[in-house]
Amino acid sequence: MGKPKLGVFKFASCDGCQLSLLDAEDQLLAVADAVEIRHFPEASSRMEAGPYDIALVEGSITTPHDAERIQQIRRDAKFLMTIGACATSGGIQALRNGADTAEFMRAVYASPEYIQVLDKSTPIAEHVKVDFELRGCPINQYQLIEVIQSLLAGRNPRTPRHSVCLDCKRRGTVCVTVAQGTPCLGPVTQSGCNAICPSYHRGCYGCYGPAAQPNLVSLSTHALNEGASAAEVSHNLRNFNVYAPAFRNESQRLTDQIKEQN
Amino acid sequence: MSEESQTEIARSCFLSTEQFAKLFEVLHALDYEVIGPTIDQAAIVYDRLTSVDDLPRGWTDIQEPGKYRLEKRGDDALFGYVVGPHSWKQKLFPPVSTLSVADRTDAGWQFTEPEQELPKFAFLGVRACELAALKIQDRVFIGGPYVDPSYQGRRNKALIIAVNCTQAASTCFCTSMNTGPRCKAGYDLALTELADGFVVEVATPEGEIVINALETQIATDENQRQAEAARQQAVDQITKTLDTTDIRDLLMSNLEHPQWNDVAERCLSCTNCTMVCPTCFCSSVEEVSDLTGDHVERERKWDSCFNVDFSYMNGGLVRNSIRNRYRQWMTHKLATWIDQFGTSGCVGCGRCITWCPVGIDLTREVAAIRETQT
């Protein structure tokens, strides 16, 4: 049996997640050795057609053309894995979901008639079956290597679903919310970044999306009791994973609350 | 030192603040790595200390459910605060450690244990509730048939310099758990801080070696009276209580009490309470390999019953809701711990109350169940 054939594909995104693979300097040669990289425009201009054993998909679906393109990639791929917040939840560009896209177009482009764009930025899983979703904005290179390693070894990947808090505590970071009153999404956000932001005295921005069974309502209720406004709390959830259902619903609930009060 | 090695009657003496500063040199000369309270990340944490100047001189902590703040005291007290986000388990039971290593060779798998020289710690500033926590973790890690060698090695070498609390936080309830605030056993030296020095109780030969290297004076009756008054101040400041009457049966016969649903609405299941708890001891063990699969390390990491996947077994989650996870934690800590280890798992330090991001107070949860028990 030959080496597994790998393809890396990009949709609406900043390329940062693909770069995480290129940044995995220590292991990059081992990756190149373990798989046959057939399609990776960020790394090489030599692009070969499918089928692929593993397809890594970065970015969200925002245009009619992309909505078609992902179908072909799915047909060509044995194992399709999304990498990053754009591909798994629609990304920061999903902030426009629910807003007036036509108005944005008029504001941004001189000739909007040349632009074809869908009403919403949506995750890959809304279009095709996804075999594995790797979270993060950007993804963590060690988690990416872990998933590739697990595929090669034929075992389950180890990408924990617990909160960021557990990582803060393991590294000895003092809780920024309790000790400094800093708003932090850590208790409701999935692990993956090794809790970088709180180690720099900042709250978690939720880059890895909702943790398993997150209690968003309790966290925002507590923030409101501590004097934060509903607009602030809602705003904190409207970030790279704004369209992830748990964050989206809570943000919407708070927005509705504000509307009712006015 | 473990409690067993303590001599029966502790002798006491007076150590001036000036001489206390020399304690660090003495400990370093005896090859101890001094771990104790210091200010970092807007809190008093436990970390490596090099001199008396690393201590939080003149600072105190204000604690309430979900909130911790440092404040200036207006004096030069070195131990004028309570307990912070860290506990000594960080040093005895490290958050992440490599247990063993395996390499694939032509001759098959080669297994090795990572060579590690066990550190020789001097823990400075151990409070009474923490002495109780050490005793509980001793039972867990070295008190049964399966001994944890890493914990045992670190623990046996460690010198314990306790400090009697002279104040309490609003979250403290050691008096309910009979663990403090007076340090009664399980230390080598115990200090009570006064304005101009410390009354020191010397409990073990190891403690004698350290104290003999310093200039001390006879503790006068006045010193003792002041020390007693200072310690009484801590007792008087404790306002929180946990009624432990028949607590095991109370909780175990109320497993379907509606309060579990109530607390589940507030609990984030974020793991913070278990991580800051000085007695929680859960961990996960994982095999981590490199990309080639030729080098594998067995890693142990702190884990928590609040982690949704911690109860994963045989294709499913045993505790698949926040309600079930909170109930598991509290009933283990306060009830089934008694069946398992012969004592409560709670020492009344209040960390789980302070460091809960939404301020859940287990004493209130127990009280709510007690008030409306079925």
Side-chain angles (χ1 to χ4, degrees):
Chain A
M1 197 183 89
K3 290 183 199 172
K5 299 178 181 69
L6 179 82
V8 183
F9 302 91
K10 174 193 154 63
F11 290 83
S13 61
C14 75
D15 288 29
C17 291
Q18 295 182 63
L19 284 174
S20 294
L21 181 55
L22 289 176
D23 278 345
E25 290 164 3
D26 296 345
Q27 302 240 39
L28 194 58
L29 289 177
V31 173
D33 211 35
V35 299
E36 182 189 342
I37 300 174
R38 290 179 70 90
H39 187 279
F40 190 1
E42 185 81 42
S44 164
S45 53
R46 186 176 62 111
M47 287 180 264
E48 293 174 57
Y52 309 98
D53 293 298
I54 304 167
L56 305 182
V57 178
E58 178 197 83
S60 68
I61 303 295
T62 57
T63 67
H65 171 67
D66 281 351
E68 281 173 30
R69 194 158 59 96
I70 189 64
Q71 299 297 336
Q72 186 57 45
I73 291 168
R74 176 68 270 190
R75 280 192 288 272
D76 286 346
K78 214 181 272 179
F79 185 92
L80 189 152
M81 170 169 134
T82 58
I83 54 171
C86 298
T88 56
S89 78
I92 189 85
Q93 57 273 27
L95 277 171
R96 70 176 169 83
N97 295 1
D100 186 343
T101 306
E103 195 189 322
F104 280 148
M105 300 265 284
R106 283 192 298 275
V108 174
Y109 298 103
S111 308
E113 64 274 18
Y114 293 116
I115 306 292
Q116 281 196 315
V117 67
L118 297 169
D119 258 356
K120 284 181 178 171
S121 166
T122 46
I124 301 297
E126 282 198 17
H127 299 265
V128 296
K129 178 177 173 288
V130 171
D131 299 301
F132 190 82
E133 293 187 325
L134 190 63
R135 304 272 200 92
C137 183
I139 55 163
N140 176 317
Q141 52 165 281
Y142 298 102
Q143 283 202 332
L144 179 62
I145 300 290
E146 158 62 22
V147 178
I148 293 174
Q149 209 283 331
S150 74
L151 287 170
L152 297 175
R155 62 168 172 81
N156 286 331
R158 197 164 27 224
T159 49
R161 303 190 294 159
H162 59 70
S163 72
V164 171
C165 301
L166 183 51
D167 294 323
C168 271
K169 291 297 187 284
R170 282 175 181 157
R171 47 185 297 179
T173 303
V174 175
C175 180
V176 295
T177 299
V178 172
Q180 302 181 54
T182 306
C184 178
L185 287 178
V188 293
T189 298
Q190 181 166 299
S191 161
C193 61
N194 197 23
I196 298 170
C197 289
S199 76
Y200 289 97
H201 301 272
R202 296 187 309 198
C204 167
Y205 293 94
C207 303
Y208 279 67
Q213 302 178 0
N215 191 344
L216 269 303
V217 176
S218 172
L219 191 67
S220 25
T221 305
H222 186 74
L224 297 176
N225 290 342
E226 288 291 304
S229 72
E232 284 168 328
V233 179
S234 169
H235 186 83
N236 288 344
L237 292 165
R238 300 177 62 75
N239 225 315
F240 314 108
N241 287 286
V242 55
Y243 202 58
F247 286 0
R248 185 204 322 172
N249 294 341
E250 179 59 8
S251 168
Q252 191 60 50
R253 189 185 71 88
L254 291 162
T255 312
D256 292 345
Q257 227 175 51
I258 297 167
K259 277 184 200 152
E260 270 172 40
Q261 280 162 1
N262 291 340
Chain B
M1 278 301 113
S2 65
E3 206 168 315
E4 289 69 30
S5 65
Q6 191 162 329
T7 47
E8 277 196 7
I9 302 160
R11 77 166 178 97
S12 60
C13 57
F14 180 81
L15 183 70
S16 68
T17 306
E18 198 178 77
Q19 278 294 309
F20 174 78
K22 296 188 175 157
L23 172 67
F24 292 83
E25 290 165 34
V26 170
L27 293 171
H28 291 144
L30 290 165
D31 286 331
Y32 285 111
E33 180 182 346
V34 184
I35 307 293
T38 191
I39 292 179
D40 184 33
Q41 308 172 64
I44 295 170
V45 302
Y46 294 151
D47 207 342
R48 180 188 283 222
L49 306 181
T50 55
S51 81
V52 68
D53 294 328
D54 291 337
L55 289 170
R57 181 187 283 123
W59 287 92
T60 193
D61 49 11
I62 308 294
Q63 303 192 38
E64 57 186 86
K67 197 175 276 183
Y68 176 101
R69 292 291 184 277
L70 290 181
E71 267 184 22
K72 276 280 186 190
R73 287 176 57 89
D75 65 16
D76 280 342
L78 294 170
F79 296 95
Y81 39 82
V82 191
V83 290
H86 289 176
S87 67
W88 308 100
K89 80 174 177 185
Q90 241 109 358
K91 295 296 170 191
L92 297 175
F93 166 44
V96 181
S97 56
T98 303
L99 302 179
S100 64
V101 176
D103 287 286
R104 191 174 1 221
T105 68
D106 292 340
W109 283 98
Q110 294 295 317
F111 294 88
T112 44
E113 275 185 36
E115 286 287 322
Q116 51 169 317
E117 199 181 327
L118 292 170
K120 186 181 170 188
F121 292 123
F123 292 158
L124 174 61
V126 183
R127 306 302 175 125
C129 58
E130 299 181 317
L131 293 172
L134 289 173
K135 194 177 171 189
I136 288 172
Q137 286 216 323
D138 286 350
R139 171 68 188 83
V140 172
F141 285 116
I142 51 183
Y146 305 105
V147 168
D148 184 311
S150 164
Y151 181 95
Q152 186 180 41
R154 289 158 184 261
R155 181 73 170 98
N156 285 346
K157 283 184 167 185
L159 184 82
I160 308 291
I161 305 177
V163 167
N164 281 300
C165 287
T166 53
Q167 64 186 72
S170 78
T171 45
C172 292
F173 59 104
C174 60
T175 40
S176 294
M177 305 314 293
N178 286 319
T179 57
R182 180 80 158 98
C183 299
K184 289 180 178 160
Y187 57 81
D188 296 287
L189 297 170
L191 316 178
T192 303
E193 187 170 21
L194 307 178
D196 53 349
F198 297 86
V199 170
V200 183
E201 290 157 277
V202 188
T204 62
E206 289 80 3
E208 284 285 356
I209 292 170
V210 172
I211 208 70
N212 287 342
L214 296 162
E215 282 175 32
T216 57
Q217 291 144 20
I218 292 166
T220 62
D221 288 350
E222 178 58 14
N223 292 150
Q224 298 288 14
R225 197 194 56 75
Q226 287 175 355
E228 190 48 45
R231 291 190 295 258
Q232 185 59 37
Q233 188 170 286
V235 177
D236 295 342
Q237 286 180 7
I238 291 172
T239 52
K240 190 171 285 302
T241 55
L242 174 63
D243 181 357
T244 58
T245 315
D246 295 328
I247 193 162
R248 187 206 167 277
D249 294 341
L250 171 76
L251 294 179
M252 297 316 285
S253 58
N254 281 282
L255 294 177
E256 300 302 326
H257 195 285
Q259 188 64 24
W260 301 118
N261 295 326
D262 188 276
V263 72
E265 283 183 17
R266 287 168 282 133
C267 175
L268 304 172
S269 200
C270 62
T271 77
N272 274 307
C273 49
T274 54
M275 295 292 109
V276 295
C277 177
T279 70
C280 274
F281 57 85
C282 283
S283 62
S284 285
V285 175
E286 296 174 342
E287 319 287 346
V288 183
S289 72
D290 68 0
L291 207 62
T292 62
D294 292 339
H295 179 81
V296 184
E297 298 194 358
R298 176 169 291 176
E299 215 172 58
R300 180 172 77 174
K301 285 179 175 172
W302 283 4
D303 211 331
S304 169
C305 51
F306 283 100
N307 172 4
V308 63
D309 289 319
F310 193 61
S311 72
Y312 179 89
M313 58 166 81
N314 198 24
L317 296 168
V318 177
R319 289 183 283 275
N320 198 9
S321 68
I322 295 180
R323 171 186 180 271
N324 289 2
R325 292 196 288 278
Y326 189 89
R327 187 178 62 182
Q328 162 65 25
W329 172 68
M330 197 208 261
T331 54
H332 185 217
K333 185 68 54 185
L334 299 175
T336 55
W337 201 296
I338 300 169
D339 302 333
Q340 193 180 3
F341 299 115
T343 66
S344 174
C346 176
V347 296
C349 70
R351 283 182 177 88
C352 59
I353 304 171
T354 299
W355 298 97
C356 171
V358 293
I360 295 171
D361 177 343
L362 88 166
T363 67
R364 287 185 170 213
E365 301 307 319
V366 173
I369 291 171
R370 193 179 286 282
E371 274 163 28
T372 54
Q373 57 186 295
T374 48

